[in-house]
Coordinates of all heavy atoms in Angstrom, one line a residue:
C137 N -1.8 -6.1 -13.2 CA -1.8 -6.1 -11.8 C -1.5 -7.4 -11.1 O -2.0 -8.4 -11.5 CB -3.2 -5.6 -11.4 SG -3.4 -5.6 -9.6
Q138 N -0.6 -7.3 -10.1 CA -0.4 -8.5 -9.3 C -1.0 -8.2 -7.9 O -1.3 -7.1 -7.5 CB 1.1 -8.8 -9.2 CG 2.0 -7.7 -8.8 CD 3.4 -8.1 -8.5 OE1 4.3 -7.3 -8.6 NE2 3.7 -9.3 -8.3
R139 N -1.4 -9.3 -7.2 CA -1.9 -9.1 -5.9 C -0.9 -9.6 -4.9 O -0.3 -10.7 -5.2 CB -3.2 -10.0 -5.7 CG -4.3 -9.6 -6.7 CD -5.5 -10.5 -6.4 NE -6.3 -10.0 -5.3 CZ -7.4 -9.3 -5.4 NH1 -7.8 -8.9 -6.6 NH2 -8.0 -8.9 -4.4
L140 N -0.6 -8.9 -3.8 CA 0.3 -9.4 -2.8 C -0.3 -9.2 -1.5 O -1.2 -8.4 -1.2 CB 1.6 -8.4 -2.8 CG 2.6 -8.6 -4.0 CD1 3.7 -7.7 -3.8 CD2 3.1 -10.1 -4.0
S141 N 0.1 -10.1 -0.6 CA -0.3 -10.0 0.8 C 0.3 -8.7 1.4 O 1.2 -8.1 0.9 CB 0.2 -11.2 1.6 OG 1.6 -11.1 1.8
C142 N -0.3 -8.3 2.6 CA 0.2 -7.1 3.3 C 1.6 -7.3 3.7 O 2.4 -6.3 3.6 CB -0.7 -6.8 4.5 SG -2.3 -6.3 4.1
A143 N 2.0 -8.5 4.1 CA 3.4 -8.7 4.6 C 4.4 -8.5 3.4 O 5.4 -7.8 3.6 CB 3.5 -10.1 5.1
A144 N 4.0 -9.0 2.2 CA 4.9 -8.9 1.1 C 4.9 -7.4 0.6 O 6.0 -6.9 0.2 CB 4.4 -9.8 -0.1
A145 N 3.8 -6.8 0.7 CA 3.7 -5.4 0.3 C 4.6 -4.5 1.2 O 5.3 -3.6 0.8 CB 2.3 -4.9 0.3
A146 N 4.5 -4.8 2.5 CA 5.2 -4.1 3.5 C 6.7 -4.2 3.3 O 7.5 -3.2 3.4 CB 4.9 -4.6 4.9
E147 N 7.2 -5.4 2.9 CA 8.6 -5.6 2.6 C 9.0 -4.7 1.4 O 10.1 -4.1 1.4 CB 8.8 -7.0 2.3 CG 9.5 -7.8 3.4 CD 9.6 -9.3 3.1 OE1 10.3 -9.6 2.1 OE2 9.1 -10.1 3.9
L148 N 8.2 -4.7 0.4 CA 8.5 -4.0 -0.8 C 8.6 -2.5 -0.5 O 9.5 -1.7 -0.9 CB 7.5 -4.2 -1.9 CG 7.6 -5.3 -2.9 CD1 6.5 -5.3 -3.8 CD2 9.0 -5.1 -3.7
A149 N 7.6 -2.0 0.3 CA 7.6 -0.6 0.6 C 8.8 -0.2 1.5 O 9.4 0.8 1.3 CB 6.2 -0.3 1.4
A150 N 9.1 -1.0 2.4 CA 10.2 -0.8 3.4 C 11.5 -0.7 2.6 O 12.4 0.0 3.0 CB 10.2 -1.8 4.5
S151 N 11.7 -1.6 1.6 CA 12.9 -1.7 0.8 C 13.1 -0.5 -0.1 O 14.1 -0.3 -0.7 CB 12.9 -2.9 0.0 OG 12.1 -2.8 -1.1
G152 N 12.0 0.3 -0.3 CA 12.1 1.4 -1.2 C 11.8 1.0 -2.7 O 11.8 1.8 -3.6
A153 N 11.5 -0.2 -2.9 CA 11.2 -0.7 -4.2 C 9.9 -0.3 -4.8 O 9.6 -0.3 -6.0 CB 11.4 -2.3 -4.3
A154 N 9.0 0.0 -3.9 CA 7.6 0.4 -4.3 C 7.0 1.4 -3.3 O 7.5 1.5 -2.2 CB 6.7 -0.9 -4.3
R155 N 6.1 2.1 -3.8 CA 5.4 3.2 -3.0 C 4.0 2.8 -2.8 O 3.3 2.2 -3.7 CB 5.5 4.5 -3.8 CG 5.0 5.7 -3.0 CD 5.6 7.0 -3.4 NE 5.5 7.2 -4.9 CZ 5.2 8.4 -5.4 NH1 5.0 9.4 -4.6 NH2 5.2 8.6 -6.7
Y156 N 3.5 3.0 -1.5 CA 2.2 2.6 -1.2 C 1.3 3.8 -1.4 O 1.5 4.9 -0.8 CB 2.2 2.1 0.3 CG 0.9 1.5 0.8 CD1 0.9 0.1 1.0 CD2 -0.3 2.2 0.9 CE1 -0.3 -0.5 1.5 CE2 -1.5 1.5 1.4 CZ -1.4 0.2 1.6 OH -2.6 -0.5 2.0
V157 N 0.2 3.6 -2.2 CA -0.8 4.6 -2.4 C -2.1 4.1 -1.8 O -2.6 3.1 -2.2 CB -1.0 4.9 -3.9 CG1 -1.9 6.1 -4.1 CG2 0.3 5.2 -4.6
D158 N -2.6 4.9 -0.8 CA -3.8 4.6 -0.1 C -4.9 5.3 -0.7 O -4.9 6.5 -0.9 CB -3.6 5.1 1.4 CG -4.7 4.6 2.3 OD1 -5.8 4.5 1.9 OD2 -4.3 4.3 3.5
V159 N -5.9 4.5 -1.2 CA -7.1 5.1 -1.9 C -8.3 5.3 -1.1 O -9.4 5.6 -1.6 CB -7.4 4.3 -3.3 CG1 -6.2 4.4 -4.2 CG2 -7.8 2.9 -3.0
R160 N -8.1 5.2 0.2 CA -9.2 5.4 1.1 C -9.5 6.9 1.2 O -8.8 7.8 0.7 CB -8.9 4.9 2.5 CG -8.8 3.4 2.6 CD -8.4 2.9 4.0 NE -7.2 3.5 4.4 CZ -6.8 3.7 5.7 NH1 -7.6 3.4 6.6 NH2 -5.6 4.3 5.9
T161 N -10.6 7.3 2.0 CA -10.9 8.7 2.1 C -9.9 9.4 3.0 O -9.2 8.8 3.8 CB -12.3 8.9 2.8 OG1 -12.2 8.4 4.1 CG2 -13.4 8.2 2.1
P162 N -9.7 10.7 2.9 CA -8.8 11.5 3.7 C -9.1 11.2 5.2 O -8.2 11.2 6.0 CB -9.0 12.9 3.3 CG -9.6 12.9 1.9 CD -10.4 11.6 1.8
E163 N -10.4 11.1 5.5 CA -10.7 10.9 7.0 C -10.2 9.5 7.4 O -9.6 9.4 8.5 CB -12.2 10.9 7.1 CG -12.9 12.2 6.9 CD -13.2 12.5 5.4 OE1 -12.9 11.7 4.5 OE2 -13.7 13.6 5.1
E164 N -10.3 8.5 6.6 CA -9.8 7.2 7.0 C -8.3 7.2 7.1 O -7.7 6.7 8.0 CB -10.1 6.1 5.9 CG -11.6 5.7 5.9 CD -12.0 4.8 4.7 OE1 -11.9 5.3 3.6 OE2 -12.3 3.7 4.9
F165 N -7.7 7.9 6.2 CA -6.2 8.0 6.1 C -5.7 8.7 7.4 O -4.7 8.3 8.0 CB -5.8 8.8 4.8 CG -4.3 8.8 4.6 CD1 -3.7 7.7 4.0 CD2 -3.5 10.0 4.9 CE1 -2.3 7.7 3.7 CE2 -2.2 10.0 4.6 CZ -1.6 8.9 4.0

């Protein structure tokens, strides 16, 4: 596992290189 800042994660997700999986509750989501 690597740790990334939100800004770096947002870039990866926007580029299509990675998928964001939210593990919060359905209500929070």
Side-chain angles (χ1 to χ4, degrees):
C137 175
Q138 48 174 162
R139 298 180 84 97
L140 285 181
S141 69
C142 289
E147 258 177 54
L148 271 179
S151 73
R155 189 151 50 136
Y156 192 107
V157 185
D158 192 320
V159 297
R160 296 176 302 153
T161 65
E163 295 83 0
E164 288 172 296
F165 188 79

